[in-house]
Amino acid sequence: MAPTERSSVSEGDIYNIHFVKKAKVVIVRDCSKVDYRIAFNSSVEFGVLHNPEGNILKALDGYKYPKVSDIMAISPLPKAVRATVEFKGTAVENTVEKNEIFIIKEIKPKGNRRYLVVYSVTKSMMKYLFESYTSQELPYHLTSSAVTLAGESTDLSIIASSNFEVEPGRPLLVEIPIDLDIAVQLINIEDGTRKNNSPFSAPFCHLIP
């Protein structure tokens, strides 16, 4: 988002600090080696990229498997699959809906047959797909480009209200990253005078104990 009068911090702005916000983030790295920080509760959706051949273009296009038995033959197993057709089983645990996405867990035998133990992301339940089931493929990649998970972290920010009012009696709430490279000074709420004489100002991160 481009800076605006309401979203930027300027010299002389006055903020009333309310609390410190801690947010868990996942760090992702794109193909240009640029890192991005995405909040755990973000609405951004991700697909699982299966790249057994080390061919990023083919991986982005996806792999198709006519039968569950074809998936079972892969080593290592892919992380997830998406059903392209529905299949009516004898119970909800082995019924498949079109576009249902599964996280693959393991392969288990049952009598003279085997089944794939999966977790249905769509239905939030465990399911069991016999090897004769057909038409599975890796899920659509929901990101606009391939990224690598580089780690996780906790971001700190300050939630404050500014002296700018969105409407009469409703001050603008802002979220300011704690590592923002600015200097601040504390003031007395009663008379607006400087609260600390030494130092006159300090890095913003020093506001957090």
Side-chain angles (χ1 to χ4, degrees):
M1 182 178 68
T4 66
E5 183 178 340
R6 294 188 180 186
S7 64
S8 59
V9 177
S10 303
E11 182 178 358
D13 285 350
I14 299 175
Y15 295 95
N16 182 30
I17 297 174
H18 299 290
F19 59 89
V20 177
K21 175 182 175 181
K22 294 183 179 180
K24 296 187 84 174
V25 298
V26 61
I27 303 170
V28 298
R29 183 169 299 139
D30 66 12
C31 56
S32 300
K33 307 300 181 184
V34 177
D35 288 355
Y36 299 90
R37 306 169 79 85
I38 302 175
F40 270 42
N41 61 353
S42 169
S43 61
V44 174
E45 294 183 309
F46 292 87
V48 180
L49 188 65
H50 183 57
N51 190 15
E53 301 177 18
N55 185 331
I56 190 67
L57 294 179
K58 188 173 181 180
L60 287 171
D61 186 50
Y63 291 80
K64 296 177 175 62
Y65 304 97
K67 295 182 180 180
V68 171
S69 58
D70 295 324
I71 299 173
M72 292 177 169
I74 301 171
S75 181
L77 288 170
K79 299 294 185 183
V81 292
R82 179 181 66 90
T84 55
V85 298
E86 67 176 21
F87 179 89
K88 296 296 184 181
T90 56
V92 65
E93 291 81 8
N94 49 44
T95 293
V96 175
E97 295 185 359
K98 185 177 181 180
N99 291 324
E100 190 170 359
I101 294 179
F102 305 105
I103 302 297
I104 297 177
K105 296 296 185 180
E106 59 180 330
I107 299 172
K108 279 193 172 183
K110 185 174 184 179
N112 60 354
R113 293 195 298 174
R114 299 181 303 163
Y115 60 86
L116 196 63
V117 181
V118 299
Y119 176 77
S120 172
V121 176
T122 309
K123 295 295 184 178
S124 300
M125 63 180 295
M126 298 298 297
K127 289 195 174 185
Y128 309 91
L129 311 181
F130 283 102
E131 55 189 331
S132 58
Y133 289 3
T134 60
S135 297
Q136 315 289 328
E137 67 178 26
L138 290 183
Y140 291 127
H141 306 299
L142 303 175
T143 48
S144 59
S145 62
V147 295
T148 301
L149 296 180
E152 62 179 77
S153 182
T154 300
D155 282 356
L156 295 177
S157 58
I158 283 180
I159 304 299
S161 54
S162 75
N163 54 351
F164 175 87
E165 292 188 343
V166 179
E167 57 186 43
R170 183 186 166 196
L172 175 69
L173 284 177
V174 295
E175 179 175 352
I176 308 174
I178 197 62
D179 57 356
L180 191 64
D181 188 19
I182 60 174
V184 297
Q185 65 180 29
L186 300 180
I187 62 174
N188 287 316
I189 298 177
E190 293 80 6
D191 56 14
T193 59
R194 172 168 91 243
K195 187 175 181 180
N196 55 325
N197 293 318
S198 180
F200 177 79
S201 61
F204 187 59
C205 62
H206 288 183
L207 289 178
I208 301 302

